[in-house]
Amino acid sequence: MISARRGIQSVGIGFRVLAALAAEAKPAALGAVARRAGLSPSQAHRYLASLVASGMAHQQSGSGRYELGPQAIQIGLAALARVDIFAAADPAIAAFTRDTGRTTLLAARGPLGPTIVRWHAGRRPIITSLAVGSVLPFFNSATGHAFLGFMSEDEVAGLVADEKAALAESGIAAIRRQVRAKMCASVDELLIPGLRATAVPILDLQGRAVLVATMMATSAFARDDDEAILRTLQDTCRHLTQHQGGLWPAEVTAESARD
């Protein structure tokens, strides 16, 4: 009976170490993980070694720092896939991609920021380092802006402190107002040269962006088509929002998004 209790305790401590890794915004040193998990460095090292061996954690060969491993990311994505709105959104965005030919990603707000959970490749492939599991910045991406628009003031203030955002407070407020008014966010070669992106939120019944759908294009795609395709994406996200009881503004069009 004692050994069984010890086994359960060990699992609990292992999850604490995983939670500590997930809470770090970037690969962390052993000491930082130990402090966040409430362990001594030697204890944390033993657990991290086991987590690395199982694929739940990864240790960088150069710096020796630790981060979440592929198995942990896979489990997290599987958990997200079981959320009802995700089950509805994924095929809807896949259909949007088939109909329009535009590469589209779905992102959820993970512990480290907006995290890509699905990538639907369009008819013309887009070459980028982004992939499922990539974390996007809140302040320098269309996806991040779409999430920002529907976060509370306290959450935004916390992000500014954590990320030391270069944007002035008035600039962040302007982004948030624009996203709410137009129900979309666009950037042109801000995050990745040669790539323009437009993101549309999917809201829950509390008015929060539970997911964001972002369509991408390069110079190979005519800009003349962008407005019509944006209207289609907005319609898709509006239906998904209403599907889960969320409210969508009555008058939002691609023309207003252009102004």
Side-chain angles (χ1 to χ4, degrees):
M1 193 59 116
I2 293 176
S3 61
R5 282 199 297 271
R6 285 178 179 169
I8 293 171
Q9 183 183 35
S10 296
V11 170
I13 295 173
F15 279 121
R16 274 165 51 194
V17 175
L18 273 178
L21 286 175
E24 293 289 339
K26 55 186 178 181
L30 172 62
V33 177
R35 283 192 300 273
R36 193 180 283 274
L39 300 172
S40 69
S42 61
Q43 286 177 306
H45 183 266
R46 289 198 298 273
Y47 281 96
L48 284 167
S50 295
L51 292 171
V52 168
S54 67
M56 297 294 286
H58 172 72
Q59 185 178 23
Q60 294 182 336
S61 57
S63 66
R65 291 175 177 265
Y66 295 90
E67 58 187 334
L68 291 176
Q71 189 64 33
I73 294 172
Q74 185 176 17
I75 290 172
L77 294 175
L80 283 170
R82 286 163 173 76
V83 177
D84 286 346
I85 184 56
F86 183 86
D90 191 36
I93 298 304
F96 167 82
T97 297
R98 287 195 302 272
D99 293 342
T100 64
R102 294 291 178 94
T103 293
T104 314
L105 64 85
L106 266 177
R109 187 180 170 190
L112 302 182
T115 304
I116 299 174
V117 294
R118 275 293 187 272
W119 183 282
H120 294 287
R123 285 191 286 272
R124 294 178 181 175
I126 290 178
I127 308 303
T128 173
S129 59
L130 298 177
V132 171
S134 295
V135 178
L136 300 167
F138 278 105
F139 299 105
N140 293 323
S141 69
T143 305
H145 288 180
F147 277 109
L148 275 178
F150 297 92
M151 292 167 59
S152 70
E153 297 289 347
D154 287 343
E155 287 177 305
V156 174
L159 284 177
V160 172
D162 290 343
E163 298 194 15
K164 298 180 176 59
L167 282 171
E169 186 173 318
S170 59
I172 295 172
I175 288 171
R176 283 163 53 77
R177 285 194 303 271
Q178 190 174 62
V179 169
R180 287 176 176 272
K182 301 177 179 179
M183 293 304 289
C184 70
S186 296
V187 300
D188 201 334
E189 301 192 31
L190 178 61
L191 182 62
I192 299 175
L195 186 70
R196 64 185 189 272
T198 300
V200 179
I202 299 167
L203 307 179
D204 63 16
L205 54 83
Q206 293 180 295
R208 298 170 62 87
V210 62
L211 291 172
V212 168
T214 304
M215 64 179 190
M216 295 170 289
T218 64
S219 58
F221 293 85
R223 291 180 180 269
D224 293 345
D225 299 330
D226 286 356
E227 288 185 11
I229 293 175
L230 171 57
R231 281 196 296 272
T232 301
L233 183 58
Q234 286 177 321
D235 285 344
T236 300
C237 292
R238 174 172 56 83
H239 286 304
L240 289 167
T241 293
Q242 293 169 343
H243 171 75
Q244 61 171 351
L247 295 177
W248 188 271
E251 298 296 332
V252 175
T253 65
E255 285 80 2
S256 68
R258 180 185 56 184
D259 296 337

